[in-house]
Amino acid sequence: MATHPGSIDRHGTEWRIRLCVGGKRHTFKMDGDRPREDVEQEARERDTDLRRRNGKGLPGPMPFSELLSRYLESEVPQLAPNSKKSYRTSLLAFSTYFVDEGGDLPAHEIRPGHIHGFMTWRRTHAPNGSKLRKPVSARTVAKDRVVLHIVFALGETLEIVDANPVRKTKAPKGDKREPLILTGDQYEALLRACEGRPMLALYSLLLGETGVRCDSEGLWLRWQDADLERGFIDVVSGGAKGQRTKSGKSRKVPMTNRLRAAMREHMATYRLRTYHGQRSPWVFHHEVDRRHAKAGERLTGLRRAFGNAAARAELPTDLRQHDLRHRRVTTWLQEGHDISRVQKAMGHSSVRVTEGYTHLIDQDLLSLVVDRGEEELRALVGT
């Protein structure tokens, strides 16, 4: 295991030492015939000398646990609620592997080999270190790798590490889950299965008609966010404690006539209703007191109810709430709407993200083959 600052590599017939001190990068070269041990010692001496002369160097090596703490304190609070939960799970896995089991090395001593070791370990272990009966998916490991890359990127910014060791590792390959795009009949079957459950019925219709993100956007909807007169839903970021969109930006999404009618009916029933002497500000709220929530409080999840409705509608078992967002994008694109407007409504970071949905519109692609076959058939029979 290397115990030197910066990076050392071969450059032609020479050794090259690269250091970063006080925000400045320094490069030194040594005779390629010198043994690596001498080069590492030279790197340590150069680094010590630069920090002494700079007077602004870091106080000393920072353990990996401290880097995790800094990331948790400075970066995680800015994430959307669901992202916070996901990132904290990854951070727990890092702490277990690198700190509890790995001895909490200084952050600058962690190398690509350590990162590879973590990914191998993560396939068979839960974040708390317990052994799993079934390996986690490659997608989960790849997600943890992305978060680890972000943590070390912060380390580079703070000059805690000279280079990001995650860059030299490869994400594990696995089968990518393709979104399940419901047909029109399947979509209607889902909505029928939600009848009799007002909150679930409007929630499912909202996801399907606007494509808003489920837990981080749809369930944060307040009465004033639904503009029935103009026909818009305001997806707000920062409007309430803990409320944040994935991008951190607010946006407007148009409502279909069907959704406007359903929203108007829902408002007539629930907007003026009082719970414990107060009106609920939330469109989706508890109607009765429960063990962990009072009537009028915001619903934080409808995943189980959605899954039960999908089962009643006899839809594929792997249907997810987020698939309704994918369906909204693809149907808009199929209908020929301007892609930049679709991007704006969906809150995608760029048009490229929206363009990525075009591969899901297989019906149009299939029609190309069918049309071509019909033309060739007519040519063969002379009609």
Side-chain angles (χ1 to χ4, degrees):
M1 180 181 66
T3 57
H4 60 82
S7 63
I8 297 175
D9 56 23
R10 285 285 226 176
H11 188 66
T13 60
E14 300 175 312
W15 288 104
R16 182 171 59 182
I17 303 171
R18 287 181 290 188
L19 304 171
C20 180
V21 177
K24 296 182 179 180
R25 298 190 178 277
H26 306 268
T27 302
F28 306 95
K29 295 180 180 180
M30 292 183 64
D31 188 344
D33 293 333
R34 299 282 295 276
R36 185 178 177 88
E37 292 77 7
D38 290 355
V39 182
E40 291 181 1
Q41 180 61 31
E42 180 70 16
R44 287 190 287 270
E45 293 176 357
R46 293 269 190 176
D47 183 73
T48 300
D49 182 60
L50 284 171
R51 292 185 185 281
R52 183 174 59 251
R53 287 190 287 127
N54 182 67
K56 298 179 181 179
L58 297 175
M62 178 178 289
F64 181 71
S65 59
E66 178 63 21
L67 176 58
L68 284 183
S69 296
R70 292 204 179 190
Y71 181 80
L72 184 63
E73 293 171 2
S74 64
E75 305 299 320
V76 172
Q78 303 177 44
L79 301 173
N82 280 5
S83 297
K84 289 180 183 178
K85 182 178 179 180
S86 176
Y87 275 49
R88 285 195 175 106
T89 299
S90 296
L91 295 175
L92 174 59
F94 305 155
S95 180
T96 300
Y97 182 80
F98 290 102
V99 180
D100 298 340
E101 300 184 9
D104 199 11
L105 291 172
H108 74 272
E109 291 186 9
I110 294 178
R111 298 289 182 250
H114 297 103
I115 308 301
H116 178 76
F118 165 76
M119 291 191 291
T120 302
W121 171 87
R122 184 68 177 92
R123 287 301 300 267
T124 57
H125 290 80
N128 63 6
S130 60
K131 189 80 172 181
L132 297 173
R133 293 183 179 180
K134 182 180 179 181
V136 300
S137 67
R139 184 177 180 181
T140 296
V141 179
K143 185 266 293 182
D144 285 341
R145 178 186 174 276
V146 169
V147 179
L148 191 57
H149 186 284
I150 296 172
V151 170
F152 275 103
L154 175 63
E156 285 186 296
T157 301
L158 300 176
E159 297 183 19
I160 295 169
V161 298
D162 299 297
N164 193 327
V166 184
R167 287 198 188 99
K168 293 187 178 181
T169 64
K170 293 183 179 180
K173 293 183 179 180
D175 295 333
K176 183 179 179 181
R177 179 186 181 272
E178 288 292 339
L180 178 58
I181 308 300
L182 298 180
T183 65
D185 290 341
Q186 288 176 320
Y187 178 56
E188 294 302 326
L190 173 64
L191 296 180
R192 286 195 299 272
C194 296
E195 292 176 356
R197 299 166 178 81
M199 297 294 171
L200 176 64
L202 181 65
Y203 175 67
S204 299
L205 185 64
L206 174 72
L207 299 185
E209 301 296 299
T210 66
V212 297
R213 297 180 178 91
C214 43
D215 296 346
S216 63
E217 295 180 351
L219 290 180
W220 285 90
L221 194 65
R222 300 163 301 175
W223 299 116
Q224 66 263 34
D225 297 331
D227 186 345
L228 296 180
E229 183 176 349
R230 298 181 62 237
F232 283 100
I233 291 290
D234 286 325
V235 180
V236 180
S237 187
K241 185 178 181 180
Q243 182 179 10
R244 188 182 188 278
T245 63
K246 185 176 181 179
S247 65
K249 299 178 180 179
S250 300
R251 69 182 190 281
K252 292 183 180 295
V253 185
M255 286 191 282
T256 60
N257 291 333
R258 183 180 190 179
L259 179 58
R260 290 172 75 176
M263 185 67 72
R264 184 174 288 108
E265 181 179 347
H266 189 83
M267 284 185 172
T269 303
Y270 292 101
R271 187 167 191 175
L272 300 181
R273 183 173 292 186
T274 60
Y275 305 92
H276 302 289
Q278 295 183 335
R279 295 175 184 171
S280 175
W282 308 107
V283 173
F284 302 106
H285 56 266
H286 292 278
E287 298 179 64
V288 296
D289 290 342
R290 298 186 180 278
R291 183 179 180 183
H292 298 293
K294 292 183 178 181
E297 290 183 353
R298 185 180 69 86
L299 285 167
T300 58
L302 283 169
R303 186 167 302 179
R304 179 177 296 180
F306 181 89
N308 292 337
R312 290 193 296 272
E314 299 182 349
L315 299 177
T317 57
D318 60 339
L319 176 69
R320 299 178 183 177
Q321 299 172 89
H322 199 72
D323 288 331
L324 293 183
R325 176 174 169 83
H326 296 308
R327 181 181 185 275
R328 177 72 283 182
V329 179
T330 55
T331 52
W332 270 339
L333 294 177
Q334 269 185 317
E335 292 166 1
H337 293 290
D338 181 74
I339 194 168
S340 62
R341 294 181 180 178
V342 176
Q343 176 225 341
K344 185 177 180 180
M346 301 309 294
H348 289 152
S349 58
S350 68
V351 172
R352 276 190 172 186
V353 177
T354 313
E355 289 175 341
Y357 284 84
T358 56
H359 78 283
L360 300 175
I361 311 176
D362 53 5
Q363 192 60 44
D364 287 346
L365 298 178
L366 183 60
S367 68
L368 295 176
V369 179
V370 173
D371 292 344
R372 179 62 177 167
E374 291 177 352
E375 291 175 2
E376 292 176 348
L377 182 60
R378 291 193 188 97
L380 288 174
V381 297
T383 59

